[in-house]
């Protein structure tokens, strides 16, 4: 019997981009799995736990570990109307997004009544790792026609929410790995049914947080302008398309996150089959969390990381997380966007510049299990 030939691997990055060899090695390891067809690596590619982050992977076999535990993690953008956006005045008004909103919180009125999977634990909370909720201002308009269709103009304020399915997705992956490890789903339809609930839950979670923040800042909640997840699996061309840290790029608008101290880019994505119809989801880590912590403490003070080069404020009571998530721990977002444009995968529409970025109110306000999860390094996209 002949041995299966490994799938093809394409890395959509220029020679000047920082791509770790370990991440490329992971792509080829995934390509060698049974049934794999093609691995498309985005310019934000970096190593992940068991699979690369920043990749879209097509296969005839469904592998839950290629999606990971944070099923449905994504980024949504909401318009918000405020008279003034002074960071110092607004930072202290953000609600505690480490805690589930109380039953009488008015934000509940602005989300769907039914909760996917009936999972109320952690609903309305942001999580740790690279998750955030950000008040930002539209900066440069790069495609005026497309921006106008989205209702965006220079100077407009938006809320950007990056979070996922929290403990629900973790529960789904764990129930698989406890029996099958990193192997394929024994019952793909059953896995996808639970997966789809987690994707819907992640979207609901982003909407609820946006409503909480809008009301706390004295604004009316709005429907999302953009809401795309970047950790998911879907049926495609008779097979399965896994995305881990890669956004759907088949004619959609996607917010590609920068860092706390740099702009983000809202792009019109038009990726084709060679890219597995996907685009990058963010700047992508350049340093591991351990390296960022060591190097960050040598270069920066806590105060420097709470006030960014663009004049924004970062709300984060966890000093370790501040260093782990420092802008210097990430790749240059301009390089990532340039690579996407250079490969014909996306067209930039507008930039958004941070005003206030919420990471966490502090470890003391988080539930005990959430603190343990953070120390174990969970909550990553």
């Amino acid at each position: 019997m002949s041995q299966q030939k490994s799938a093809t691997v394409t890395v959509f990055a220029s020679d000047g981009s920082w791509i770790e060899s370990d991440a490329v090695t992971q792509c080829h390891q995934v390509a060698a799995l049974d049934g794999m067809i093609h691995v498309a690596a985005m310019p934000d590619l970096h190593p992940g736990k068991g699979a690369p982050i920043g990749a879209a992977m097509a296969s005839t076999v469904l592998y839950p570990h290629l999606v990971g535990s944070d099923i449905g993690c994504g980024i949504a953008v909401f318009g918000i109307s405020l008279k003034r956006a002074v960071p110092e005045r607004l930072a202290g008004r953000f609600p505690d997004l480490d805690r589930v909103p109380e039953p009488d919180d008015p934000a509940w009125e602005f989300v769907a009544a039914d909760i996917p999977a009936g999972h109320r634990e952690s609903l309305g909370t942001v999580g740790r790792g690279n998750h955030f909720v950000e008040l930002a201002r539209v900066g440069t308009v790069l495609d005026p026609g497309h921006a106008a269709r989205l209702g965006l103009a220079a100077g407009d304020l938006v809320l950007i929410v990056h979070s996922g399915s929290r403990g629900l997705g973790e529960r789904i992956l764990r129930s698989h790995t406890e029996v099958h490890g990193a192997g394929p789903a024994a019952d793909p339809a059953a896995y996808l049914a639970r997966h789809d609930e987690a994707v819907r839950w992640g979207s609901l979670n982003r909407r609820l947080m946006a409503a909480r923040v809008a009301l706390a800042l004295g604004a009316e909640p709005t429907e999302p302008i953009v809401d795309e997840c970047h950790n998911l699996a879907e049926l495609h061309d008779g097979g399965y398309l896994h995305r881990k840290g890669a956004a759907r790029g088949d004619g959609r608008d996607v917010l590609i996150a920068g860092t706390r101290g740099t702009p983000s880019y809202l792009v019109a994505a038009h990726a084709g089959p060679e890219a597995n119809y996907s685009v990058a989801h963010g700047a992508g880590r350049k340093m591991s969390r351990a390296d960022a912590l060591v190097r960050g403490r040598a270069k920066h003070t806590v105060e420097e990381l709470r006030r960014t080069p663009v004049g924004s404020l970062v709300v984060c009571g966890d000093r370790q997380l501040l260093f782990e998530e420092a802008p210097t721990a990430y790749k240059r977002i301009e390089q990532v966007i340039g690579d996407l444009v250079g490969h014909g995968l996306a067209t930039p529409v507008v930039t958004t510049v941070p005003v206030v970025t919420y990471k966490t109110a502090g470890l003391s306000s988080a539930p005990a299990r959430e603190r343990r999860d953070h120390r174990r390094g969970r909550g990553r996209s």
Side-chain angles (χ1 to χ4, degrees), residues 322-346:
L322 265 176
F323 288 108
E324 290 175 349
E325 288 292 301
T328 51
Y330 284 82
K331 303 177 187 185
R332 289 181 61 250
I333 185 62
E334 294 82 5
Q335 182 72 51
V336 171
I337 299 300
D339 285 351
L340 293 175
V341 172
H343 285 92
L345 305 185

Side-chain angles (χ1 to χ4, degrees), residues 19-306:
I19 302 290
E20 288 181 72
S21 59
D22 286 350
V24 177
T25 297
Q26 281 191 329
C27 288
H28 286 280
Q29 290 170 343
V30 168
L33 294 173
D34 288 343
M36 293 304 298
I37 300 169
H38 180 54
V39 176
M42 298 296 117
D44 59 337
L45 182 75
H46 55 287
K49 184 179 180 181
I53 300 172
M57 299 152 279
S59 175
T60 60
V61 178
L62 178 59
Y63 291 98
H65 84 279
L66 296 185
V67 176
S69 61
D70 200 6
I71 303 165
C73 184
I75 297 179
V77 181
F78 304 79
I80 184 170
S81 180
L82 299 172
K83 289 183 179 179
R84 295 185 66 194
V86 181
E88 293 78 6
R89 293 184 179 181
L90 296 177
R93 293 172 61 183
F94 271 62
D96 186 348
L97 298 175
D98 294 325
R99 295 182 181 274
V100 175
E102 297 296 332
D104 60 350
D105 192 309
W108 290 108
E109 300 174 11
F110 295 90
V111 298
D114 70 311
I115 297 173
H119 185 76
R120 289 184 171 272
E121 183 183 340
S122 301
L123 187 57
T125 64
V126 66
R128 295 296 167 90
N130 61 355
H131 293 167
F132 65 88
V133 177
E134 183 170 277
L135 175 68
R137 190 184 302 278
V138 174
T140 306
V141 175
L142 301 163
D143 186 332
H146 199 115
R149 289 193 292 274
L150 295 175
L152 294 174
D156 286 352
L157 293 172
V158 293
L159 283 175
I160 302 171
V161 184
H162 177 199
S163 190
S165 58
R166 311 288 280 109
L168 178 59
E170 181 187 2
R171 180 188 302 173
I172 293 169
L173 180 64
R174 187 169 62 246
S175 67
H176 169 81
T177 56
E178 285 176 348
V179 179
H180 305 287
D187 186 342
Y191 168 80
L192 286 175
R194 299 185 69 194
H195 160 284
D196 291 351
E197 285 193 320
V199 170
R200 291 193 297 272
W201 198 98
S203 180
L204 177 67
N205 193 40
R206 292 188 285 275
R207 290 170 185 244
L208 181 55
M209 280 190 283
R212 293 183 70 186
V213 174
L215 291 169
L217 299 184
E220 280 293 306
T222 61
E223 289 296 305
I225 299 169
V226 170
D227 186 9
E228 285 297 330
C229 75
H230 44 243
N231 285 5
L232 77 162
E234 60 184 5
L235 292 166
H236 198 278
D237 287 343
Y240 302 97
L241 183 51
H242 313 75
R243 292 185 176 94
K244 187 173 177 66
R248 291 182 287 193
D250 49 351
R252 300 166 188 264
D253 298 314
V254 177
L255 191 287
I256 301 178
T259 71
R260 310 296 68 76
T262 61
S264 295
Y265 283 74
L266 195 157
V267 306
H270 37 76
E274 191 174 87
N276 279 338
Y277 306 96
S278 303
V279 293
H281 80 310
R285 292 198 71 89
K286 184 172 65 176
M287 301 180 197
S288 69
R289 294 183 179 278
D291 285 346
L293 186 61
V294 172
R295 296 184 188 187
R297 283 174 171 166
K299 291 184 177 181
H300 306 291
T301 66
V302 168
E303 290 69 27
E304 287 172 345
L305 294 178
R306 285 185 173 145

